[in-house]
Amino acid sequence: MNRRPTLLAAIALTATAALSLSACGSDDSPKGKDNDKIAGADTGKETSASPSPSASDSAARPKITFPSDAKNVFEYEKTGDATKDAALADSTLSVNSVDEAILKGTTDTKALGFYNRDKALSGSISYALGYIDKGHTWVGETRYYDYKVSLSGDDGAYVTYCSDESKSFIKDKKTNKVKNTPTTADSYVLYHTKLVKNSAGVWQTTVVSSTRGDKACQP
């Protein structure tokens, strides 16, 4: 569904050069009418809004909560490489942190700045405010799948994945009206992200690029 507006287009434009270096490959330049959205999971085929964090730093991690009518589902298998798996897990928590801000109606959440920084953080705030300022939220289920991860040195990673928004919809908080838009090719989005591990061992998303309607994500 087109529940995601184009607020991340600016991030996508600045991200292209950096993400083109990713070993994951693929052309990530924005080209659809909606280039958008932005994170987790600790085990393969994860579901729910707040998957388990890594044991090493679980005490310091903020809890992410969703209302009962909204859900992100993350589908991926663990690679067997501890570093890659940690990056994958925190990538999904980045997605959840942005959606939590939208669903709570405020960007003043602990998780947003915990899992995002640099261009990804500023873009995430603008993106969430695009919902909040209009009095919008979303309901339903968004599925994330076809994950690929590659490492860059000891503290860098690139993660690509797809999303299926065909079962998630924009909701007007004042009227409670839900936009039940039809499923089209634009209901599927390809994401390229860059992550950097900070001194606390958290993989923070720094750059996000997305292409709505990309053929790589079509069912």
Side-chain angles (χ1 to χ4, degrees):
M1 303 329 293
N2 290 343
R3 71 172 174 84
R4 301 301 187 188
T6 59
L7 288 172
L8 292 193
I11 304 179
L13 291 172
T14 58
T16 303
L19 293 175
S20 64
L21 300 176
S22 170
C24 295
S26 181
D27 178 13
D28 62 340
S29 58
K31 57 187 177 183
K33 65 178 180 180
D34 287 313
N35 297 288
D36 51 1
K37 206 168 178 291
I38 321 209
D42 185 47
T43 59
K45 298 267 183 171
E46 285 292 335
T47 62
S48 85
S50 52
S52 302
S54 303
S56 61
D57 54 6
S58 59
R61 289 173 176 263
K63 183 178 181 180
I64 297 175
T65 59
F66 279 21
S68 60
D69 59 356
K71 182 179 183 180
N72 284 337
V73 176
F74 302 97
E75 298 178 351
Y76 71 85
E77 301 291 344
K78 280 191 171 182
T79 67
D81 181 297
T83 303
K84 288 183 177 181
D85 290 339
L88 282 168
D90 284 347
S91 170
T92 60
L93 287 167
S94 169
V95 171
N96 276 345
S97 72
V98 178
D99 278 332
E100 180 188 44
I102 294 170
L103 294 164
K104 288 188 173 181
T106 178
T107 56
D108 188 23
T109 61
K110 293 181 178 180
L112 196 58
F114 191 91
Y115 291 108
N116 304 280
R117 78 186 206 198
D118 302 337
K119 291 183 177 68
L121 177 58
S122 59
S124 296
I125 292 172
S126 295
Y127 178 68
L129 287 175
Y131 275 80
I132 296 167
D133 292 346
K134 293 179 180 179
H136 289 169
T137 185
W138 65 271
V139 297
E141 176 181 298
T142 305
R143 183 172 65 94
Y144 296 87
Y145 58 99
D146 198 16
Y147 277 83
K148 299 179 180 65
V149 57
S150 63
L151 301 178
S152 176
D154 295 330
D155 59 0
Y158 295 95
V159 178
T160 67
Y161 54 91
C162 296
S163 74
D164 173 1
E165 299 180 359
S166 63
K167 295 180 180 179
S168 60
F169 310 90
I170 293 175
K171 178 182 177 180
D172 187 298
K173 296 173 73 173
K174 184 177 181 179
T175 65
N176 285 323
K177 184 177 180 180
V178 176
K179 292 185 178 180
N180 289 301
T181 48
T183 299
T184 68
D186 283 345
S187 301
Y188 304 91
V189 188
L190 174 65
Y191 294 93
H192 292 264
T193 64
K194 181 180 180 181
L195 294 85
V196 174
K197 184 171 67 173
N198 66 14
S199 59
V202 178
W203 287 89
Q204 295 179 299
T205 297
T206 61
V207 179
V208 178
S209 175
S210 62
T211 306
R212 183 173 292 282
D214 195 284
K215 292 181 179 180
C217 297
Q218 301 301 316

